[in-house]
Structure formats: C-alpha cells, structure tokens
Amino acid sequence: MSARIAAPVVMGIVMLVLWEAVVRVAKIPPYVLPGPILVARTLIDDWGMLAPALVVTLEITLEALAAAVIVGGLLAILFSLSRWVELSLFPYAIILQVTPIVAIAPLIIAWANNVDLSLLICAWLVAFFPILSNTILGLRSVDHNLLALFELYSAGRWKTLIHLRLPAALPYFLGGLRISGGLALIGAVVAEFVAGTGGSASGLAYRILEAGYQLRIPRMFAALVLISAAGIAIYLLLSLLSYLLLRRWHESAISPEG
Amino acid sequence: MPLVSVRGVSKTFANGVQALDGISLDIEAGEFLSVLGPSGCGKSTLLRLIAGLAPPSAGAIDWPAGKPDIGFVFQEPTLMPWATALANVALPLKLGGVGRSERDARSAEALGHVGLAGFERTWPRELSGGMKMRVSIARALVTAPRLLLMDEPFAALDEITRHRLNADLLALWERSRFTVVFVTHSVFESVFLSQRIAVMAARPGRIVSDLAVAAPYPRTEAFRTSPDYAAHCRLVSGHLAEAMAA
C-alpha cells in the first residue's frame, strides 16, 4: 500500500524538479514554458480570479453528472422494462454518443439561446452514455436462477426490479458513474471552449482562452492544473462512493487479504 | 389422493429439442421421491415444469388439493451477494409481504434449523460452499412449503459436506414431513435419501422405472455401509444402466 502511494509521489517530485531545472538551465522564457514554481506562484496570485472560474466549471460538471445519472439511470430502467422502448431508442442514444461534441456544440449553443443551459446540455451529452450502457448491462446481468426464484414467489416486475435487478446493476452503474464523472468535466470544458463565453460567470476554459490571447502562459498552466485537480478529485470521490456501497459484498471492493 | 399428478407431460423447446416425452408420475403428500438419471435426461426440466416456471408442451400437471407453497433449491446456492444470510433467507417472506419483525424471527429460526444459528449477519462471500447451500435450503423452507423441489443441490459439494447435508436434510424432512422431489445423478445419494426413485432415460427424457426403497427411517451413517443399502444400490444401478442403454 505504501509503495502504491510512494512510487507515484516520488516520480512526480522527480519530474517537477527536472522541469524546473530544464527551464532554469536553458533559460526558457515563461511565455514559452513556465517552471512549476512560477505556475504555483501564479496559482496563488491569481486565486481570486481562478477560484470563481473553478466554481463555475465544477457547477456545470456536477449538474451535468446529476442529469446524466437521472436520465441515464431512468432510461436504462425503462429499457429493461420494455423491449420495444429499448429497440426504438437505443440506436439514437448511440448516435448521440458517437457524434463529436465539438461538432454539435455550436448548434446546441445556437438553439438553447442560454449559455449556461447549452454548456450543461453539452456536458450531459458526453456524460450520460456510459451510465446508460453500463446500467443496462447490469440490469441484464442477473443470475437467471434468482430470476426464476422471484418468478416462483410471484414477485412481479416492480419487486423484481427493486429487490433484484437494481442491486445486481449497482456495481455496473458505479463503474459507469466513474467514467461519466471525468467525461462530464471534459464535456463542460470543451463546450466552454466552443462557446467562448464572456462576462463574470466564466469557467476555467474561458480563463485558459483569455490567458492564451494575452500570452499569460503561467496563468494558462495554473488553470490547467486546476482542471486536472478537479478531474482527479471527482474520480477519487466517485471511487470512494463506489467502495462504500460495495465493500460488503462485491468482489471489486474486497481487498485480497479478506 | 396425490399432492401432484404429472399426466402425460411432454416438453419441446423452441429450438426443436424434445426434453421430455410422455412423463406420468403421481407424487404423494409427504413422500421423499428422487428423480435419478444421466445428465441431459430432462430431470431439471421436469422440476421446472412442476414448479410452474415453464409450461408443458403437452399433457398437464394437476394439483388435486390445490397448488401448495413450493420451495426450490438450485444446484448453485443462488444467494443474493448484496444481502446477509438472514436477508437472503427472508426473501420469500419479503416478497410475500410479511412484516419485518415476523420475517426476521422466522428467518432466524429457519437458519437455526439448518445449523446456522448465529450466522444471521454474515455475507454470502464469507460462507463456505456447504454453508451457502444451507442458507439456500433455509430460504426454501422459510415459508414452510408443503413441496420442496431440489435440483442436484449437493452435486458441487465435497463428499464429507454432502453426507452431512444429506443427513441434515433427512432430519428436517422427518420432522416436518413436507414432500420432496430430489433430482440427482447419484445412485448412492438417491438410495440413501428417498422412499422412492424414478429412473429417467435421456433423449427424449422419459421415466423407465419406478422403484421403492423400503429401508426404514431414521437412516444413519450406518445405513450407508449396510448390506440392505448395497443391495438397493445394486438394484437401482442396474435400472440406471438399462435406462442409459435404452
């Protein structure tokens, strides 16, 4: 366990020191490549501007993720209850998934006529498919003998769904959720780039664009660090949630020692 | 009056395979009947038809005194991994709308009957194969069914565990005298357990002999080494060999 934490930390420190050394020795100007110390200082100095941007991006990400959970989860349940609904709708869900978000973002922005709403829709479009497809897989991956048992006790569709299909689908859903968490952030950032929103309530992507125009490369890096940190935090939180829900019974959450 | 009367039942699957051909079998209330046959002879299919999990293609399954509560034990323990032993046993009661406190009390009692008192809060993954099967039997018996259907329940267990579960199953049966239909491919198991053995032949599945095992109960481990047991095993083996040659 200690090696699992120590190895990447040591690796990270080595890379940062190397980066700083290369920048100093080769005298690379900060508008080409700022060293990690300068990036850290910029992060602190520009915190007053970057923190609200981080909040904006995180809000869109979390709202999109929540919408993905609700729509993806409900659609999966609906599909599992009705073969016809699934046959009619699933191909369109795939079409939405395979269409690059960058290509349809301008359309959505034009149609939605509201920047926040269009960003939310874009992030949601990217995020909902893994939850949908994983949950469908989970709802179908039920032990057929358990299904027979529920039939024997005349459980009916709803009781079978609640007491059998949903718990059986939970590990699959949580796997989808972890993927969707990262995708929601990517969707939010990409949509923001396409939208190029201005004004006070602008997210990190806009700060990166703006810093690029102004050749404030250290600030670009600082915003990038925040996006990465947000992505890692989302992943860790969702992994923790998954662990807490599954640790009693699912193989994926049980440590080998027992 | 039999508990259930299987009359001329045939089953052909959608893919054209005929699993059962003209099965007729009367099962008396309180009887311990084994259905013995080689794998692929349709004995599991027969059990599913009796349980009502699939309809027969021809013939009928009659319940002269009405269809009773049925317990079913599969070859695998078939427990819900997300639920404790107690919650697994309580499932039939929960689906039947029994309230929480009564459910827990009856499930704990059922766990006690299979020798798992004190294991209420353990999770399936913490239990051995034999203990999981005990939980599965407790779940099947928790509704006090008049008919217990068992589909090769001990086939995947080691011999020592299997013998213990055989003895414990007989003890439960002698106390409550529910009807048991026990599907197995083991001559020795069927002779040890049952009053009556229906021997099946395969392709298509049909009953070729209906034999009585006259040995008295309780049957202890001593019965396993008795000449009476050996004689019955020889007789049943002979019928099984004929069935497989047929």
Side-chain angles (χ1 to χ4, degrees), chain A residues 143 145-146 148-153 155 159 163-164 167-168 247-249 251 254 258, chain B residues 48 51-53 70-72 74 78-82 91-92 94-95 123 125 139-140:
Chain A
D143 184 325
N145 280 337
L146 272 174
L149 202 68
F150 272 67
E151 198 188 327
L152 184 72
Y153 295 115
K159 280 187 176 175
H163 297 302
L164 182 58
R247 71 195 156 119
R248 305 283 199 151
W249 63 274
E251 296 300 334
I254 294 164
Chain B
R48 292 177 62 87
L53 292 172
I70 295 176
F72 203 115
F74 300 92
T78 315
L79 303 179
M80 301 178 292
W82 56 83
L91 178 73
K94 190 175 191 173
L95 295 175
W123 299 79
R125 66 175 186 87
R139 177 179 61 193

Side-chain angles (χ1 to χ4, degrees), chain A residues 47-121:
Chain A
W47 183 251
M49 169 202 248
L50 291 174
L54 175 66
V55 170
V56 168
T57 300
L58 276 182
E59 266 175 13
I60 294 169
T61 303
L62 296 181
E63 283 168 14
L65 189 60
V69 166
I70 294 167
V71 177
L74 286 181
L75 266 183
I77 290 170
L78 193 64
F79 286 8
S80 80
L81 289 175
S82 163
R83 188 87 187 132
W84 282 108
V85 174
E86 181 183 2
L87 286 175
S88 332
L89 286 183
F90 197 63
Y92 298 101
I94 296 172
I95 290 172
L96 277 181
Q97 165 67 11
V98 298
T99 309
I101 190 66
V102 190
I104 47 172
L107 260 183
I108 291 168
I109 290 161
W111 286 343
N113 207 13
N114 171 324
V115 175
D116 285 345
L117 181 62
S118 51
L119 294 185
L120 181 60
I121 293 173

Side-chain angles (χ1 to χ4, degrees), chain B residues 156-190:
Chain B
L157 301 175
D158 64 87
E159 192 177 3
I160 296 167
T161 308
R162 192 162 63 235
H163 284 183
R164 285 202 55 190
L165 279 165
N166 280 342
D168 292 352
L169 173 64
L170 275 189
L172 284 169
W173 173 72
E174 281 174 64
R175 188 167 60 193
S176 307
R177 285 286 170 162
F178 39 81
T179 311
V180 184
V181 181
F182 189 97
V183 163
T184 179
H185 57 243
S186 163
V187 169
F188 306 106
E189 192 170 49
S190 66

Side-chain angles (χ1 to χ4, degrees), chain A residues 31 42 46 49-50 193 204-224:
Chain A
Y31 58 82
T42 311
D46 291 355
M49 169 202 248
L50 291 174
F193 265 108
L204 282 173
Y206 179 69
R207 291 301 171 206
I208 289 177
L209 276 178
E210 187 189 52
Y213 294 143
Q214 299 168 352
L215 275 186
R216 291 172 187 266
I217 308 302
R219 186 185 288 171
M220 253 174 109
F221 270 85
L224 211 55

